[in-house]
Amino acid sequence: MQRKLRMAMIGGGKDAFIGAVHRIALNMDGLMELVAGSFSSRPDVALESGRSLFLNEDRIYTDYKTMLEKEAAMPADKRIDFVSIVTPNSVHFEPAMLALDKGFNVVLEKPITFSLDEAKQLKAKVEATGLSLLLCHTYTGYPMVKQARQLVQNGTLGKIRKIYVEYPQGWLTTFLESTGQIQASWRTDPARSGKAGSMGDIGTHAFNLAEYISGLQVTAICSNLNIVVPGRLLDDDGAALLKFNNGATGVLMATQIAAGEENNVKIRVYGEKGGLEWKQEDANSLIVKWLDKPAEIYRTGGGYNSSFAAHNTRTPAGHPEGYLEAFGNLYRNFALTLLAKINGETPKAEWLDFPGVEEGVRGMAFVDNVVASSAAGEEKWRVFTV
């Protein structure tokens, strides 16, 4: 059966940053179409947003519960296949659980839920339903990040010994939330964001990138979180020492008060034979450094790259690919997997290479452990529990 997948969106209405990114990503490959939405908790904004996207009036909803009920009651050739949830963290769990109950696959912004307990419940629901969930850890969609992962898995670097990962931003250098700026307001609000600020927002990205590329898992953590800007309610700066399940150690830094920085996420992984380095500011390049010979530079689009990198490359070598393309890769792999399942086919390994509920649970466990370690007030290692 050849058809587009039908999607509904919860959140992401007028003037919302990430909702627009999701819509660009899902449109890149012609595999999906947005047919319904509940774009805001404010009815006027929900209606205005749906109309601006040229949706049919009867599929623009003013609350997500009504949307999921009505969409589930539609005939199979009309109802949605999946729901994309792009709301603040506190409004991830309930719509995701309801969508799964109604038989819909789910795309979720990170972190996956408001709490670790919610993440575990959501994992159990995904497993019970057999449905698919995509968690939008965008940086895993970059071709050179996938190439880095393959080099590690192939043993090219030897046993991994050391990992450094950092995510500096500068946009919260001032008390921006006091101005009514929407993104700053909810991301620094414990009631909507959760127990962590910078560590929940971007630290989870750094944590996921470290585990994804290395193929390892964090087993212990020692952290320190700071509130630098007076009046802020959640951490805007922090660092953690990490221990991994093969004996490797690492350092993670996430800060949103690094004045002048934009989104300079960067990772370095070192093994017995060599190391690698990738940063988003030069996303088409992967530097591989050797113990006994000159460094090599892998480039997006190069014929020497793995099938995983090639599958996620969209343009000929030399043409920049970035954040939107990486986001599109997540959506495409998710869509190809769903279409294969609908058609009774086995998805290719390259299609299944997208973050899901397991990464979501580990991300929330990271938040819990990094906050608890910091709150202990002593330079002690904390056993990493999930």
Side-chain angles (χ1 to χ4, degrees):
M1 177 178 60
Q2 299 296 320
R3 67 169 178 84
K4 287 188 176 185
L5 293 171
R6 296 179 288 271
M7 187 195 94
M9 181 169 280
I10 298 174
K14 184 175 178 287
D15 298 327
F17 156 66
I18 204 65
V21 171
H22 278 254
R23 290 190 289 271
I24 292 169
L26 73 93
N27 281 319
M28 281 188 182
D29 298 287
L31 299 173
M32 300 152 277
E33 59 182 335
L34 178 67
V35 299
S38 173
F39 299 100
S40 175
S41 58
R42 291 176 49 191
D44 58 329
V45 175
L47 292 170
E48 182 183 356
S49 300
R51 288 164 182 160
S52 71
L53 295 168
F54 306 103
L55 297 186
N56 290 335
E57 196 77 17
D58 62 348
R59 300 187 82 170
I60 305 172
Y61 302 90
T62 54
D63 72 276
Y64 70 82
K65 293 180 181 178
T66 299
M67 180 184 78
L68 293 173
E69 289 283 348
K70 290 191 173 182
E71 291 293 321
M74 289 184 178
D77 63 348
K78 189 176 181 182
R79 77 167 69 102
I80 57 173
D81 297 291
F82 71 97
V83 177
S84 186
I85 301 169
V86 293
T87 52
N89 304 349
S90 59
V91 196
H92 283 187
F93 176 71
E94 187 175 341
M97 290 288 280
L98 184 57
L100 292 165
D101 273 332
K102 297 297 182 184
F104 300 130
N105 300 283
V106 172
V107 175
L108 258 180
E109 261 303 318
K110 47 56 53 194
I112 193 168
T113 50
F114 190 73
S115 68
L116 177 57
D117 180 64
E118 287 182 348
K120 290 179 177 179
Q121 291 183 59
L122 190 57
K123 179 184 177 183
K125 177 65 73 174
V126 170
E127 292 173 345
T129 60
L131 295 166
S132 295
L133 184 145
L134 163 64
L135 182 65
C136 291
H137 276 299
T138 319
Y139 309 107
T140 64
Y142 279 98
M144 288 298 94
V145 168
K146 295 192 179 296
Q147 179 66 17
R149 175 179 167 87
Q150 291 303 306
L151 290 175
V152 172
Q153 286 190 344
N154 293 340
T156 304
L157 304 183
K159 181 182 177 182
I160 300 305
R161 292 173 165 176
K162 195 74 180 181
I163 299 170
Y164 295 93
V165 61
E166 60 186 68
Y167 199 154
Q169 293 179 338
W171 74 292
L172 288 178
T173 297
T174 63
F175 195 45
L176 188 61
E177 55 266 47
S178 67
T179 68
Q181 207 264 13
I182 295 174
Q183 293 294 322
S185 295
W186 80 258
R187 291 180 191 274
T188 59
D189 178 5
R192 289 181 285 175
S193 185
K195 63 176 63 176
S198 62
M199 277 295 177
D201 189 13
I202 58 176
T204 49
H205 273 311
F207 171 79
N208 174 257
L209 196 59
E211 290 201 335
Y212 177 76
I213 289 179
S214 71
L216 303 175
Q217 290 189 327
V218 171
T219 56
I221 195 166
C222 180
S223 65
N224 182 59
L225 305 185
N226 307 301
I227 297 176
V228 176
V229 176
R232 184 155 289 152
L233 300 178
L234 289 172
D235 60 280
D236 49 21
D237 172 71
L241 300 175
L242 309 173
K243 289 184 178 180
F244 293 87
N245 57 345
N246 76 331
T249 59
V251 181
L252 183 152
M253 181 273 280
T255 183
Q256 293 174 314
I257 50 84
E261 291 286 1
E262 297 175 335
N263 283 279
N264 193 17
V265 57
K266 176 181 177 180
I267 185 167
R268 289 172 288 160
V269 178
Y270 297 98
E272 296 169 313
K273 302 175 184 178
L276 59 80
E277 178 179 325
W278 178 85
K279 58 182 179 181
Q280 186 177 226
E281 289 192 348
D282 184 16
N284 274 31
S285 298
L286 173 66
I287 301 173
V288 182
K289 303 173 183 179
W290 301 108
L291 188 64
D292 55 0
K293 59 181 179 180
E296 299 173 348
I297 301 177
Y298 285 68
R299 292 281 294 168
T300 298
Y304 42 76
N305 289 321
S306 69
S307 63
F308 287 82
H311 169 69
N312 291 279
T313 298
R314 294 173 174 274
T315 59
H319 294 282
E321 295 188 26
Y323 180 79
L324 294 175
E325 288 85 357
F327 224 112
N329 290 338
L330 298 186
Y331 262 95
R332 179 175 60 179
N333 291 340
F334 179 71
L336 289 171
T337 297
L338 292 191
L339 288 167
K341 291 171 70 174
I342 289 171
N343 292 325
E345 300 168 353
T346 301
K348 294 180 180 179
E350 289 84 354
W351 303 351
L352 291 166
D353 185 23
F354 59 83
V357 69
E358 182 63 35
E359 289 84 354
V361 171
R362 290 197 61 77
M364 291 311 302
F366 167 75
V367 170
D368 269 19
N369 283 275
V370 81
V371 170
S373 173
S374 181
E378 300 176 5
E379 296 303 316
K380 289 184 177 180
W381 284 97
R382 175 181 174 82
V383 175
F384 190 89
T385 56
V386 176

